[in-house]
Amino acid sequence: AARMIDLDRYFERIGWTEPVSPTLTTLRGLLHAHMTAIPFENLDVLLRNPPSLELADLQAKLVDRKRGGYCFEQATLFHAVLERLGFTVQRHSARVTMETPKERAPRTHMLLSVELPEGGFALDPGFGSLAPLVPVPLDGTEVTARPGAAKEMTYWFERDAGEWTLKVRTADAVIDAWVTPLTPDHPIDFVMGNHFTATHPKSHFLASLMMRMFVGGDTVRLLNDQLTVDGVPRQLADRAELQAALLQYFNVDVDVSRLIVPGVPAWT
């Protein structure tokens, strides 16, 4: 399946011009380039257009149409790229635990792991604002993303009873982001998770507009009608302001007139 990916178009999308070989240096660079070029967004879910995980559809959307996507889309695309480049890469599902105890959190997150001579690393290109811009070692070693920046974050794994929890230290707190048994999952498992995430009445992704873009040392975030740039929140007055913000900050051109956003009653 990975042979279907057009690497030249993908590299152009993420601005990658370096040589590629299955090394940790390449992995770090590719992940950072991917995550600073392709935004996290759930617009299709709110347009009642459940995202496809077929590689041809992902390439058309995230690469050719310069859209973003959420975890299932981004991790599936990135997996195909890494596989094509000769990395030893696996797909995994996880339970997001930032706001929900793991016993009640469905497996609605997708991440990747790569095995290298230096050890195993987790990659999470499709998480929200807390996503690590760097590969995170699976052995518990701490790693820092954007060191020295106002939004510096440190990541590590805590292992307990066969489960890996991604820990995130921000300026304000230590957060349990998600938990996974790190067993390899199959594409059909993510089709199931994607279906729940995009269509189930209790899915967070049907309730709120969620977007993030990494720009330099800052994270641009959009939650419903609140846009946060350089740490300063601003309320968007209407759909016209939303349309303008999508273009300006996320480089996304979508007709927002049909968006159904329960989190903003005036927009529903």
Side-chain angles (χ1 to χ4, degrees), residues 145-146 148-153 217-219 221 228 230-232:
R146 295 192 293 199
K151 297 291 189 296
E152 173 180 303
M153 294 184 193
D218 189 38
T219 306
R221 290 183 295 128
T228 303
D230 291 327
V232 180

Side-chain angles (χ1 to χ4, degrees), residues 58-137:
L58 292 172
Q59 173 133 323
K61 179 183 176 183
L62 277 69
V63 177
D64 298 336
R65 298 207 308 276
K66 293 185 165 51
R67 285 280 306 281
Y70 60 13
C71 66
F72 296 112
E73 299 169 276
Q74 300 224 23
T76 299
L77 178 68
F78 202 58
H79 176 272
V81 170
L82 295 182
E83 197 173 59
R84 179 82 183 275
L85 294 176
F87 284 92
T88 302
V89 56
Q90 300 275 11
R91 293 163 285 216
H92 310 280
S93 58
R95 305 178 191 278
V96 177
T97 52
M98 291 184 299
E99 297 170 0
T100 309
K102 67 180 181 181
E103 295 78 18
R104 297 209 310 270
R107 287 193 186 183
T108 53
H109 187 53
M110 179 180 180
L111 64 133
L112 307 174
S113 70
V114 166
E115 199 61 44
L116 290 166
E118 294 88 344
F121 295 84
L123 315 168
D124 193 6
F127 203 44
S129 302
L130 293 179
L133 278 154
V134 289
V136 182

